[in-house]
Amino acid sequence: MTDTEDAPHVFVRGEGGSVFKLDLPLHESIEDRLRKGYLTRVEEDGSPIAVETADDGVIPGPPTKRPPLNADKATWVGWAVVNGMTPDLAEAATKQDLIEKFGVDQASETLSQPEAEAQVAIDAAPDLAIQSVEAGTAQ
């Protein structure tokens, strides 16, 4: 056996449907595509990977639960893909659009109080910046 055969690895289904063996650690662009749902972790034979293996925290993948509002856009893209949106459409949407469509907790259909307050602050931030600029130029 060579060092390559002994190296830790994962199997990934590419965008065209082929299965590839990738050595760890993964390149950050591959990790990003896994997180966004463009690539999917699978078993060597291409079958779906066991949930407990997929959620090992070592290899990134789309989120398994709704991300917090302050999560980066890539995480929200992954969440949208998990919920049925295509990766290309999710990538084209703004983070705010993804939060509006997929940010509601499916169990309660409402945001928690801290999340709602955070969302109000996020929504108000652009208006505050505009008001600050206008106030500065008005002098």
Side-chain angles (χ1 to χ4, degrees):
M1 286 191 167
T2 65
D3 289 335
T4 306
E5 292 174 6
D6 293 335
H9 58 273
V10 294
F11 293 95
V12 175
R13 181 180 313 284
E15 295 169 72
S18 299
V19 176
F20 299 95
K21 177 183 177 181
L22 302 176
D23 290 335
L24 297 176
L26 296 174
H27 187 274
E28 62 186 42
S29 64
I30 299 295
E31 287 184 356
D32 188 53
R33 296 185 77 72
L34 275 166
R35 216 167 36 132
K36 291 178 180 177
Y38 284 96
L39 305 175
T40 307
R41 241 178 110 181
V42 294
E43 299 290 348
E44 185 173 4
D45 64 359
S47 62
I49 195 161
V51 173
E52 56 276 355
T53 306
D55 198 18
D56 59 9
V58 176
I59 309 301
T64 56
K65 61 181 180 178
R66 186 180 56 80
L69 294 175
N70 64 351
D72 62 359
K73 182 182 176 193
T75 304
W76 279 98
V77 168
W79 182 242
V81 170
V82 166
N83 283 283
M85 188 176 252
T86 65
D88 289 332
L89 288 176
E91 191 79 56
T94 65
K95 178 181 170 184
Q96 186 61 38
D97 290 340
L98 297 173
I99 290 172
E100 287 174 8
K101 184 163 178 112
F102 301 104
V104 177
D105 185 5
Q106 277 88 23
S108 65
E109 292 297 319
T110 60
L111 296 174
S112 69
Q113 182 65 28
E115 289 175 326
E117 290 171 3
Q119 188 61 48
V120 169
I122 290 168
D123 291 343
D127 295 334
L128 294 175
I130 292 169
Q131 290 172 359
S132 297
V133 171
E134 290 174 350
T137 58
Q139 296 176 351

